Amino acid sequence: GNRSVGLHFPLNKFPRVLSRSQLPRLESPGMQRAEAEAIYDQGREAVVAALLALSAQVALLQAQLEKQEERIAELERRLSRNSKNFSLPPSQDPPEAPPHQQARPSGRKRGAQPGHKGNGRHLVPAETVDEVVDHWPTRCRCGHRFSEAERRSYGRPARHQVAEPPPIAVFVTEHRLHHLRCPKGGRSVRATLPREVPRGAFGPRLQAAVATLAVRNRISGQDTVELMRDLFDARLGVGSVDAILGRTADALYEPYEKLLRRTRASPAVNVDETGWRTQGEKCTLWGAFTGRSAIFRIAPDRHQREAKALLGYRFPGIVTSDRWWAYNYRDTERRRLCGAHLARDFTAHGGDRGEEKQFGQAGLEMARRLFLAWDDYQAGGTRQEPAARIEPLKEELHALLEAAAPRSPRHRAYRTFAKNLLKYRPALWTFASVPGVEPTNNHAERGLRGAVILRKLSFGSQSDDGECIVERLLAASVTCRLQKRSLFAYLSEVLTARTRGTAIPSLV
């Protein structure tokens, strides 16, 4: 009779094997009816062996399929990264990234609104005006022509001021060192330069202008040469620009060391790092920032030892950073995790389906309430107000992370994230109780922004001396900006003091 049968069995009831070599292989991956009947004719043991071999192969294929699905999901997650769910600048968003949310139209017309107080340009005081030019009317609308004898002003004149720089050219001073012959010994004696005269071909202000253009305005050496020639009629080459930057960095040695000691003694710092290149090799530019200071250090990599070298091995303050593992040596009580990075992480998990989406959306809502409490504090509240509003958030977040951490390997993506946050949970709330600590690391990211642009334009450094120049000039530039000081004026003072041999002005 017809010996074909329908077989229905749960594959997960059969044992899995470790490798393909251990599987009893069937004759053909696509078994024909004749082959199946031949196995059936061999008896019960042959059928059982064939089913076990088939189920083991199916189990192995299922395991491989699960790994491939995880791999595909991870690759899709990486492809979907953008500035909203990952630490990427908006300029690196892929074309398919969602557009940034625009504010809803208010319905008002563009420009100043009725009742708006104008912010027009104010006239400078009359006593500071360099030149006054009087203008008189020549005729009246009735046809009368005014004579010079009639020029007696009726009321106050209308004032109109025009700001215009004078024709600019460098002021070249030639110092002639004369010789005199001694009548006593007949020896020729030449005059020496006074201490206040620079030994090089360029004065302190010109050197300060070159350094400012290089580090603050990120002008290349060739463009600096052209700009100095066009604006100031100053003739110098690219080699002179490099030499000026080197001398400026040498003059900043003492201010940088004092700034380094002051930053390492601060009660709180913001730290971040970005890529750098020296002679084409990958390096890392580290930065540490306080409210009034900034220090930089170029290191071989992003290892923990470099974070310690930047801050010192016994830094007593609180470090605000992202969740990069190099900062994990810090005690959680002396650390603050960036809330903006936390919100982006929850956003990344909130875009998937099922439980992970619920987890991400719940965490994102908590982050929104956290920032709302901080905004209210900055608008004029007391330090106790955000702390009281954050206490319930602590419990809610802890419960959310506890529920997500022990999930099955199927939820590995956000399970690992939840376990990591549980480990460093105290570092999430440092800002609520410690003055001077903010909920995000935006201060450090803003401090590194200029360095990132400089790296893209200059392609990094070409030597160890070049790294030193970058570190010191960036520290002076960002510190002056934080202190609302003129970088050009400060560098002029530094280079003047270096020329005269007097004390170098400090940055702290």
Side-chain angles (χ1 to χ4, degrees):
N2 189 354
R3 295 187 177 183
S4 63
V5 295
L7 299 177
H8 303 279
F9 51 88
L11 295 179
N12 59 354
K13 297 296 184 181
F14 293 93
R16 298 192 180 192
V17 293
L18 298 177
S19 65
R20 292 182 179 180
S21 61
Q22 297 173 323
L23 291 175
R25 301 185 62 84
L26 300 178
E27 293 297 328
S28 172
M31 184 182 297
Q32 302 297 321
R33 180 182 181 85
E35 295 174 332
E37 289 181 349
I39 295 174
Y40 183 76
D41 289 339
Q42 295 177 17
R44 182 167 181 254
E45 292 300 326
V47 174
V48 171
L51 289 176
L52 290 175
L54 180 62
S55 66
Q57 289 183 352
V58 172
L60 178 62
L61 292 175
Q62 285 181 333
Q64 292 176 343
L65 183 60
E66 289 179 0
K67 291 182 179 180
Q68 290 175 353
E69 288 178 347
E70 291 180 3
R71 175 68 173 167
I72 292 172
E74 176 61 24
L75 292 176
E76 289 179 345
R77 187 189 300 273
R78 293 184 183 183
L79 286 174
S80 63
R81 287 175 176 174
N82 54 66
S83 58
K84 291 186 176 181
N85 58 24
F86 194 69
S87 298
L88 284 175
S91 59
Q92 294 185 14
D93 278 347
E96 64 274 9
H100 288 268
Q101 185 177 2
Q102 302 291 332
R104 293 183 178 180
S106 63
R108 298 179 299 179
K109 295 182 179 180
R110 292 186 177 182
Q113 304 300 311
H116 169 72
K117 184 179 180 181
N119 293 317
R121 182 179 301 278
H122 298 285
L123 296 175
V124 301
E127 57 271 15
T128 63
V129 173
D130 299 299
E131 181 183 14
V132 175
V133 179
D134 291 316
H135 300 276
W136 300 90
T138 58
R139 61 182 298 173
C140 178
R141 286 182 294 178
C142 68
H144 174 73
R145 290 184 175 274
F146 294 102
S147 64
E148 291 188 8
E150 295 175 312
R151 290 181 177 177
R152 292 186 296 274
S153 184
Y154 178 76
R156 292 185 178 183
R159 300 171 63 197
H160 174 73
Q161 295 179 345
V162 178
E164 174 73 7
I168 302 174
V170 292
F171 189 82
V172 180
T173 302
E174 179 177 301
H175 298 267
R176 298 182 177 180
L177 308 179
H178 292 279
H179 292 77
L180 292 177
R181 184 174 297 278
C182 178
K184 185 175 181 180
R187 179 179 298 174
S188 176
V189 181
R190 191 187 72 177
T192 59
L193 282 172
R195 173 177 290 184
E196 64 273 11
V197 177
R199 267 48 182 174
F202 309 107
R205 290 176 59 82
L206 185 78
Q207 296 183 72
V210 169
T212 302
L213 289 173
V215 66
R216 174 62 63 80
N217 305 106
R218 298 174 285 276
I219 306 296
S220 68
Q222 186 62 47
D223 289 343
T224 299
V225 170
E226 296 178 3
L227 193 62
M228 298 299 288
R229 182 183 65 242
D230 294 341
L231 291 183
F232 309 117
D233 195 26
R235 307 291 172 172
L236 66 162
V238 176
S240 298
V241 173
D242 293 338
I244 288 173
L245 297 181
R247 285 195 293 269
T248 306
D250 290 341
L252 288 171
Y253 171 77
E254 291 183 12
Y256 183 82
E257 291 299 315
K258 292 180 180 179
L259 193 65
L260 187 63
R261 292 192 294 269
R262 175 65 65 87
T263 304
R264 288 175 173 175
S266 301
V269 297
N270 293 69
V271 183
D272 201 4
E273 73 287 334
T274 186
W276 193 261
R277 287 187 179 272
T278 299
Q279 293 183 340
E281 298 294 329
K282 289 184 178 181
C283 300
T284 301
L285 176 66
W286 293 77
F289 308 87
T290 68
R292 293 179 57 82
S293 67
I295 57 173
F296 294 85
R297 182 174 183 271
I298 299 177
D301 50 42
R302 300 172 67 194
H303 197 274
Q304 186 180 101
R305 63 176 176 274
E306 307 302 343
K308 294 180 179 179
L310 175 73
L311 296 174
Y313 290 86
R314 297 181 179 179
F315 178 70
I318 294 176
V319 175
T320 300
S321 68
D322 54 25
R323 292 189 296 113
W324 179 242
W325 69 270
Y327 306 109
N328 291 348
Y329 75 96
R330 301 285 304 173
D331 293 336
T332 54
E333 290 77 11
R334 311 303 297 170
R335 188 179 174 191
R336 161 63 189 157
L337 296 182
C338 176
H341 284 78
L342 184 65
R344 287 198 290 266
D345 289 333
F346 278 123
T347 301
H349 292 294
D352 293 329
R353 302 175 182 174
E355 296 180 3
E356 185 173 5
K357 182 175 183 179
Q358 297 176 2
F359 169 79
Q361 290 179 343
L364 197 59
E365 173 61 21
M366 294 180 194
R368 186 192 68 81
R369 290 162 56 192
L370 183 150
F371 287 123
L372 186 60
W374 180 257
D375 290 341
D376 292 343
Y377 161 69
Q378 287 189 310
T382 63
R383 195 83 189 185
Q384 291 74 22
E385 291 178 4
R389 294 171 61 179
I390 285 170
E391 281 300 321
L393 287 177
K394 291 183 181 181
E395 301 301 326
E396 293 179 30
L397 182 60
H398 183 259
L400 178 68
L401 299 178
E402 285 282 2
R407 296 287 181 177
S408 65
R410 191 164 60 90
H411 307 288
R412 186 187 319 176
Y414 73 96
R415 184 189 63 169
T416 303
F417 170 65
K419 291 175 66 176
N420 181 268
L421 283 186
L422 279 175
K423 184 177 180 181
Y424 300 104
R425 188 165 54 93
L428 295 173
W429 314 107
T430 313
F431 74 97
S433 57
V434 181
V437 179
E438 296 187 352
T440 71
N441 199 31
N442 290 344
H443 184 52
E445 294 184 354
R446 287 193 299 267
L448 281 177
R449 192 167 298 157
V452 172
I453 300 174
L454 178 64
R455 177 197 68 205
K456 292 181 177 180
L457 295 176
S458 65
F459 303 104
S461 309
Q462 301 303 319
S463 64
D464 293 341
D465 291 340
E467 291 182 350
C468 181
I469 291 173
V470 169
E471 293 170 352
R472 296 179 186 176
L473 288 181
L474 281 176
S477 175
V478 179
T479 299
C480 284
R481 175 166 286 169
L482 291 174
Q483 298 178 4
K484 294 180 172 51
R485 298 170 65 177
S486 167
L487 176 63
F488 169 72
Y490 173 72
L491 293 181
S492 298
E493 295 173 2
V494 168
L495 292 167
T496 299
R498 179 67 177 265
T499 300
R500 296 177 178 176
T502 57
I504 302 294
S506 176
L507 277 167
V508 297

